[in-house]
Amino acid sequence: MLNAWHLPVAPFIKQNKDKLTITLWLAGDDQPGNVKLRTEIDNEETSLRMYKLRSQPHPGVTAWRGTLALTSNLPRRRYSFKLLWNNRQLWFTPQGFSAFPPARLEQFAVDYPDQGPQWVNEQIFYQIFPDRFARSEPRTAQQDKVYFHHAAGHDIIFKEWDEPLTAQAGGSTFYGGDLDGISEKLPYLKKLGVTALYLNPVFKAPSVHKYDTEDYRHVDEQFGGDEALLRLRKNTLREGMRLILDGVFNHSGDSHGWFDRHNQSMSGACHNPGSPQRDWYSFDEHGRALDWLGYPSLPKLDYRSPTLVEEIYGGEDSVVRHWLKAPWNMDGWRIDVVHMLGEGGGAHNNLHHVSQITRAAKAAQPEAFVFGEHFGDARQWLQVDAEDASMNYRGFTFPVWGFLANTDISYDPQQIDAQTCARWMDNYRASLSQQQQLRMFNQLDSHDTARFKSLLGKEVARLPLAVTWLFTWPGVPCIYYGDEVGLDGNNDPFCRKPFPWQPEKQDKTLFALYQRLIRLRKRSQALRYGGCQILYAHGDVVVFIRVYHQQRVLVAINRGEACEVVLEAMPLLNVKRWQLKEGTGEIEQNILSLPAVSACVWSGN
């Protein structure tokens, strides 16, 4: 049986000035007589000769080496391996052997030079829904002002922090969390190990979630206004923490002065065909504005308008650029429903506008991190670098849900075995460059989903497995506020409960697990920069390895009964000694002894 190994990281890849050395390892019987490196020159398929090395990297392993020139202006280098015998051929790609040539986007890919933000891989992100994280004292009169919420048809409601959340008035119920409250809790976040914050929208809007923007240029007074965000920015900079804002550019709120459904300024586009902002929205033949998914309070923005483009991202002081420049100096944007914004009330020319939003952000802040919200397949955007990364629902969250919680994003039953889960995750990664994979935004849940703890139901013992997966899988991990202390909650609004600050309401064991895994990730280059290969996926068990230079991290996830797993002998496992870093499993000569419902992490060199 022939085996092959290659990951798009060292030791399989090495840059030497303007050349990239690519190495393939082979072992087994009936090895090929020739190997070619399939790559591209100016998008043209090209085969390059590979040479068999005289020395063996490991006993029984043959190494083939080829060289790519880095003089092309296309920094994404796609390649695969063509193995040749006298009368047949095989191709080797990220998804293994194939009898026919792989599709262009199913090959290994690396970015040289890597033009994405270089700081992202190092981060531990933490997502905060501002109204529900922490409430500061004292407060201004504006922070607790009662007003009429038109979309809900009643006044907003204030609750005490410990009052239970109900299904009624979900978008109109406020608990008083604010930005100064976040500033006060930075020591807690530092203790946890967080290094970067992603905030749900903070700009002026009538709802608690603030996705119905009323003013893109000012922070909502309920959160403390512009001054509170400036204080938070200064505090995070002092603590060495990054800060990402939520950009809602697909639609505005209907109370925005541009639209003005409620006649607050009398000049908005809703009732005034002569409004300067009339072409910033789309209207049907009856004069009704086209909205987002049937929500009349969220009229769609129409990027056919050159003046709207100038305001949102094109101008020197556009919204996108404004918040990335002094004195705010934000570190990037998460773009809400990024795949849906476009022209004519729909998504026409979407890729163009998303790309230009990203370019505008980087014109203001070259190291800005721009990632989009995609519940579906984000690869169409990533493969053309319209974004740096995406929220990795499709490539991480949903496979983990299916394997551990037996559900999909629609909360329909989905029971998958380890092999299906592994194929799903590998298939999604296969068409992304190694550098993109490492910047994907991984979460177990968010403000738009049920909490993972609640999804597990009676299988809640599997929660530590998912947490371990979050910090060891390729991509940057993000914790949704409260997950680390066991906060639960079904779908919106219950996934947005106030943070339980009373110590007796916090899961200290779970918090300690998060701390240990964060420390492990921070100390391991393999977890932050390494390639990934699934070694075993059968029944209830997934085993994968992270590889970077000589570093190895081995991770085993077992959702079922205690068992032994025999790993196939391979050079990736040739280490002097494995050290158990998390969990209680054992490893002896490639045999893993795994406790029931467990996650184990080993490191080796």
Side-chain angles (χ1 to χ4, degrees):
M1 179 179 176
L2 183 66
N3 288 310
W5 298 276
H6 176 84
L7 293 170
V9 295
F12 297 95
I13 286 184
K14 182 178 180 181
Q15 182 180 4
N16 184 8
K17 297 181 180 178
D18 61 348
K19 294 181 179 179
L20 197 64
T21 300
I22 309 289
T23 302
L24 173 69
W25 291 351
L26 296 175
D29 300 327
D30 192 22
Q31 294 204 18
N34 195 9
V35 178
K36 294 183 178 180
L37 182 65
R38 183 274 186 204
T39 185
E40 298 172 357
I41 298 178
D42 295 334
N43 289 331
E44 176 70 14
E45 292 193 17
T46 303
S47 291
L48 302 176
R49 183 179 178 185
M50 298 190 75
Y51 298 88
K52 185 190 295 187
L53 302 184
R54 293 182 178 179
S55 60
Q56 292 181 320
H58 297 276
V61 176
T62 301
W64 291 78
R65 183 166 293 170
T67 302
L68 294 180
L70 296 180
T71 53
S72 166
N73 288 328
L74 295 175
R76 181 149 302 141
R77 322 288 167 168
R78 300 188 186 277
Y79 62 92
S80 56
F81 302 96
K82 185 179 184 181
L83 284 60
L84 294 167
W85 289 262
N86 290 335
N87 59 352
R88 62 189 178 95
Q89 60 183 247
L90 277 179
W91 294 79
F92 185 67
T93 74
Q95 298 186 77
F97 287 117
S98 171
F100 54 86
R104 181 173 185 264
L105 298 179
E106 293 180 354
Q107 303 187 66
F108 295 102
V110 290
D111 296 330
Y112 283 88
D114 176 15
Q115 298 173 340
Q118 298 299 298
W119 55 270
V120 174
N121 301 45
E122 299 285 338
Q123 306 309 309
I124 304 295
F125 273 90
Y126 192 87
Q127 179 189 348
I128 294 177
F129 194 82
D131 182 69
R132 307 290 164 81
F133 181 61
R135 176 186 173 102
S136 69
E137 298 291 348
R139 297 171 65 80
T140 67
Q142 290 297 316
Q143 285 185 268
D144 296 317
K145 180 181 178 181
V146 175
Y147 56 84
F148 188 77
H149 186 192
H150 288 278
H154 55 73
D155 287 345
I156 65 168
I157 300 167
F158 283 104
K159 288 194 173 186
E160 295 299 322
W161 201 258
D162 295 328
E163 284 188 74
L165 186 64
T166 66
Q168 286 71 41
S172 306
T173 299
F174 290 81
Y175 282 84
D178 55 24
L179 300 183
D180 284 328
I182 299 173
S183 283
E184 292 172 6
K185 297 301 183 181
L186 290 183
Y188 164 81
L189 295 173
K190 293 280 287 186
K191 177 183 176 183
L192 176 59
V194 169
T195 62
L197 303 181
Y198 149 49
L199 307 183
N200 285 110
V202 299
F203 303 121
K204 184 174 175 59
S207 71
V208 69
H209 52 71
K210 307 299 178 191
Y211 283 98
D212 48 348
T213 312
E214 192 171 287
D215 187 343
Y216 289 98
R217 300 281 179 171
H218 293 287
V219 176
D220 201 295
E221 288 293 343
Q222 289 178 304
F223 295 159
D226 294 352
E227 296 79 7
L229 181 60
L230 194 57
R231 287 191 291 271
L232 178 60
R233 173 73 288 201
K234 291 179 178 178
N235 291 333
T236 52
L237 286 172
R238 184 188 68 244
E239 298 291 347
M241 298 174 73
R242 303 282 182 164
L243 187 56
I244 300 288
L245 296 181
D246 204 332
V248 188
F249 306 133
N250 170 69
H251 51 266
S252 74
D254 65 352
S255 61
H256 198 297
W258 301 342
F259 194 78
D260 193 26
R261 183 188 299 280
H262 311 296
N263 287 314
Q264 294 171 310
S265 67
M266 306 299 290
S267 61
C270 182
H271 306 294
N272 183 4
S275 167
Q277 284 82 37
R278 182 73 176 188
D279 70 343
W280 292 17
Y281 300 90
S282 300
F283 294 84
D284 65 17
E285 63 273 17
H286 304 294
R288 291 190 293 261
L290 303 184
D291 55 44
W292 180 67
L293 296 183
Y295 294 99
S297 62
L298 303 176
K300 280 269 291 186
L301 293 168
D302 189 344
Y303 285 86
R304 288 180 299 187
S305 169
T307 51
L308 174 66
V309 167
E310 187 78 1
E311 171 67 17
I312 295 295
Y313 68 79
E316 280 299 314
D317 194 40
S318 62
V319 173
V320 168
R321 301 181 193 216
H322 172 81
W323 295 100
L324 300 180
K325 296 190 290 189
W328 311 101
N329 298 313
M330 299 298 165
D331 291 297
W333 289 99
R334 176 265 193 188
I335 311 295
D336 184 56
V337 291
V338 66
H339 52 289
M340 300 185 76
L341 66 85
E343 303 174 5
H348 182 63
N349 272 342
N350 172 268
L351 269 177
H352 167 75
H353 294 292
V354 174
S355 296
Q356 292 306 306
I357 287 172
T358 301
R359 303 290 89 74
K362 293 180 185 296
Q365 164 57 277
E367 280 288 290
F369 181 36
V370 181
F371 62 99
E373 178 199 23
H374 296 268
F375 274 86
D377 191 343
R379 289 174 293 185
Q380 177 183 352
W381 289 262
L382 297 170
Q383 287 160 353
V384 296
D385 296 306
E387 311 160 10
D388 292 314
S390 77
M391 299 183 78
N392 201 15
Y393 287 112
R394 182 64 68 93
F396 175 79
T397 310
F398 298 159
V400 171
W401 281 20
F403 183 64
L404 294 180
N406 301 323
T407 188
D408 69 4
I409 181 54
S410 301
Y411 308 107
D412 292 325
Q414 181 184 41
Q415 296 189 11
I416 60 175
D417 60 13
Q419 184 178 17
T420 302
C421 181
R423 289 177 60 190
W424 183 347
M425 298 177 87
D426 270 354
N427 174 268
Y428 197 80
R429 289 193 305 129
S431 57
L432 302 178
S433 75
Q434 170 68 10
Q435 289 82 354
Q436 287 177 314
Q437 292 179 37
L438 296 175
R439 281 190 284 266
M440 293 296 279
F441 201 78
N442 293 342
Q443 291 183 277
L444 294 176
D445 46 30
S446 75
H447 67 291
D448 282 323
T449 75
R451 298 267 181 175
F452 188 72
K453 180 179 179 180
S454 294
L455 290 176
L456 286 171
K458 65 180 182 180
E459 302 288 358
V460 70
R462 294 177 177 180
L463 182 56
L465 284 60
V467 177
T468 302
W469 217 332
L470 175 66
F471 288 99
T472 54
W473 191 252
V476 57
C478 180
I479 307 161
Y480 183 42
Y481 81 96
D483 276 357
E484 74 280 10
V485 293
L487 191 58
D488 62 2
N490 289 317
N491 206 10
D492 177 20
F494 299 103
C495 56
R496 305 173 182 182
K497 293 179 180 178
F499 190 101
W501 287 110
Q502 303 94 322
E504 65 273 13
K505 293 185 178 181
Q506 299 179 3
D507 185 335
K508 301 295 195 304
T509 301
L510 185 60
F511 182 86
L513 174 65
Y514 272 87
Q515 284 184 309
R516 294 196 304 273
L517 289 168
I518 289 171
R519 286 195 296 267
L520 178 60
R521 180 181 169 85
K522 288 181 177 180
R523 294 170 181 168
S524 171
Q525 286 186 308
L527 291 179
R528 303 194 309 278
Y529 295 97
C532 178
Q533 183 160 326
I534 294 176
L535 305 182
Y536 181 92
H538 184 75
D540 294 324
V541 179
V542 175
V543 181
F544 60 91
I545 192 169
R546 301 294 304 277
V547 175
Y548 190 69
H549 290 280
Q550 302 307 313
Q551 298 179 24
R552 305 287 187 268
V553 175
L554 186 67
V555 182
I557 308 290
N558 176 24
R559 70 179 183 185
E561 300 297 325
C563 63
E564 284 192 348
V565 170
V566 180
L567 299 180
E568 179 182 347
M570 63 180 67
L572 296 182
L573 293 172
N574 287 349
V575 301
K576 293 180 180 178
R577 184 169 66 92
W578 290 107
Q579 289 184 312
L580 184 66
K581 295 296 185 179
E582 182 61 46
T584 57
E586 297 180 358
I587 182 170
E588 184 70 30
Q589 295 182 343
N590 293 0
I591 299 176
L592 304 183
S593 297
L594 305 177
V597 191
S598 65
C600 309
V601 183
W602 295 268
S603 70
N605 289 285

